Amino acid sequence: MARKTKAALIGCGNISGAHGDGYKAIVDYVDIAYCVDLIPERAEQRKAQYGNAGTVCLTDYREMLRDPSVDVVSVCLPNYLHAPVTIDCLNAGKHVLCEKPAAMNYAEALSMKEAADRNGKILNIGVVNRFNRGVEAVREVILSGGLGEVYQIYCSFRAFRSIPALGGWFTTKAQSGGGALIDWGVHFLDLINYCMDNPRPRTVSAVCHSKLAADMRDYQYRSMHAGPPKYDGVYDVEEYVTGLIRTDGPALTFNGAWAQNIDESAMFIEFMGTKGGIKLDYGSHYTLYTTRNGEFVAERSKFDIPNHFLAEIRAFVDSAARGEKIRSNIDNVLVTAQTMDEIYRSAAEGREVTVE
């Protein structure tokens, strides 16, 4: 019988549950050997959910790195820890799946890639939409020429009064790298880059707003994941971002909001082509608009959409076993990190910037 792959979870907060579910779905050939968290109770909880009698709970991930039997690691930590912890794991000879965003900025993401290449290890990023069946179907339509030339893309990632963990690391720029863009927008930008085969950004013009929670105690909210609020904390990131990106392919415009004073959620991407257009509902199905035999046609996609987190974890374990770079590899995600850097630079400087 083949030896099981041994996995470790570093960080046992909310998102680690999706990773744990993924590993549990392939328990026939993967064991979670370690659960690591600064809060011991959280590590013990994940062990109870996803581990076994042999699973070890730790508060210091560096103890796990000394175990040569660990093959793969999921890094599920706050953004400011992504680069240093991932690089430590790669240097210790582990394959890594690091949650999104890859890092706080493009420079950190590049250092992670360099560590993966130097050590000959796989580094995937948690760009889970690349494993979503709806996204895969849209990519197939676009790359097969079904929309003609795609010349304009618009995406919206907006919600009503839902700033996460106000006052905590999500809203502290030194720990998160940013707000709505780096938290939600990263998924939309990466999805678009995947569907369009990574067009290169040329210029960026963007504006960020940090208004609604400027007085944290006065901020009223509908929901707050990763909460509750810490009113003695920091709020110095954007809850709203808007911009225009010119690429060597289509132009992209976007609006994103953790919080806005419009009580609606708008989560979608529109691809405009010369032969047709697609509106993709985030995480779900799409509608194709085109003409056929002199008639206007609107077709809604109809297929099952399996759990993309399970597909992501399975693909990671398989890619690590083969030593093969796949769609979620750091190499394919760098352009998204670079683009977010330029969005923040444009907003900070109050002008359009050229991407070098």
Side-chain angles (χ1 to χ4, degrees):
M1 182 178 177
R3 170 186 172 274
K4 281 189 174 184
T5 296
K6 288 194 175 183
L9 290 176
I10 302 181
C12 294
N14 291 340
I15 194 61
S16 69
H19 290 243
D21 287 341
Y23 290 123
K24 189 174 182 179
I26 50 176
V27 68
D28 287 346
Y29 60 97
V30 177
D31 274 338
I32 293 184
Y34 291 88
C35 294
V36 185
D37 199 280
L38 289 175
I39 302 172
E41 293 78 13
R42 297 206 304 189
E44 292 289 349
Q45 180 185 26
R46 291 306 189 213
K47 174 182 176 178
Q49 290 174 296
Y50 305 117
N52 53 53
T55 301
V56 178
C57 293
L58 299 172
T59 57
D60 187 343
Y61 73 93
R62 287 165 292 196
E63 294 182 47
M64 175 274 295
L65 296 183
R66 292 193 286 269
D67 184 346
S69 72
V70 174
D71 305 292
V72 299
V73 177
S74 279
V75 174
C76 304
L77 295 167
N79 300 351
Y80 71 101
L81 295 171
H82 285 187
V85 173
T86 293
I87 291 170
D88 281 350
C89 291
L90 294 167
N91 287 340
K94 318 302 182 188
H95 302 286
V96 179
L97 170 57
C98 177
E99 257 306 323
K100 63 79 189 171
M104 295 269 283
N105 52 53
Y106 182 49
E108 285 190 354
L110 281 174
S111 70
M112 294 162 70
K113 170 190 163 46
E114 290 164 0
D117 291 347
R118 184 174 63 251
N119 290 286
K121 295 299 173 182
I122 294 297
L123 170 56
N124 290 353
I125 305 301
V127 285
V128 69
N129 288 287
R130 291 178 178 239
F131 300 92
N132 180 278
R133 181 63 191 118
V135 173
E136 290 173 336
V138 169
R139 172 180 161 88
E140 290 164 8
V141 172
I142 291 172
L143 297 186
S144 69
L147 299 186
E149 177 194 355
V150 177
Y151 57 88
Q152 181 71 42
I153 300 171
Y154 171 70
C155 71
S156 171
F157 46 99
R158 296 183 292 121
F160 176 68
R161 296 278 182 156
S162 58
I163 296 171
L166 184 64
W169 75 263
F170 271 99
T171 67
T172 303
K173 190 173 181 65
Q175 297 180 331
S176 64
L181 173 67
I182 204 169
D183 185 32
W184 288 356
V186 60
H187 277 309
F188 287 75
L189 293 176
D190 181 78
L191 183 163
I192 291 165
N193 285 332
Y194 177 56
C195 287
M196 297 301 304
D197 263 357
N198 281 347
R200 303 305 304 180
R202 297 306 186 197
T203 65
V204 175
S205 184
V207 177
C208 291
H209 297 292
S210 181
K211 301 288 186 181
L212 298 188
D215 183 340
M216 288 194 288
R217 291 188 179 276
D218 190 52
Y219 172 71
Q220 294 183 318
Y221 56 92
R222 174 74 51 77
S223 63
M224 187 175 291
H225 73 274
K230 297 178 180 179
Y231 293 121
D232 60 347
V234 176
Y235 182 69
D236 63 353
V237 298
E238 82 286 352
E239 82 264 355
Y240 197 104
V241 59
T242 185
L244 163 66
I245 302 168
R246 292 181 175 87
T247 77
D248 58 6
L252 165 63
T253 54
F254 60 92
N255 291 297
W258 271 342
Q260 60 181 5
N261 282 326
I262 302 293
D263 193 355
E264 296 176 0
S265 178
M267 301 282 188
F268 62 86
I269 306 98
E270 296 174 336
F271 298 86
M272 305 296 185
T274 54
K275 294 181 180 178
I278 279 181
K279 181 173 183 178
L280 172 66
D281 295 319
Y282 183 73
S284 185
H285 286 271
Y286 68 86
T287 302
L288 169 65
Y289 300 91
T290 188
T291 58
R292 192 173 298 135
N293 300 322
E295 300 288 337
F296 293 109
V297 176
E299 294 179 341
R300 186 71 172 167
S301 62
K302 296 178 181 178
F303 42 71
D304 291 333
I305 300 180
N307 186 308
H308 48 215
F309 283 103
L310 302 187
E312 175 189 43
I313 297 298
R314 183 184 294 273
F316 167 53
V317 173
D318 290 346
S319 70
R322 299 191 305 269
E324 178 185 341
K325 293 182 178 183
I326 59 172
R327 71 190 85 167
S328 55
N329 188 268
I330 183 67
D331 290 2
N332 300 318
V333 181
L334 287 172
V335 66
T336 301
Q338 181 186 31
T339 301
M340 290 194 299
D341 266 18
E342 299 302 331
I343 291 170
Y344 283 129
R345 180 162 74 98
S346 171
E349 296 179 5
R351 65 179 182 88
E352 184 173 69
V353 297
T354 299
V355 182
E356 301 298 334

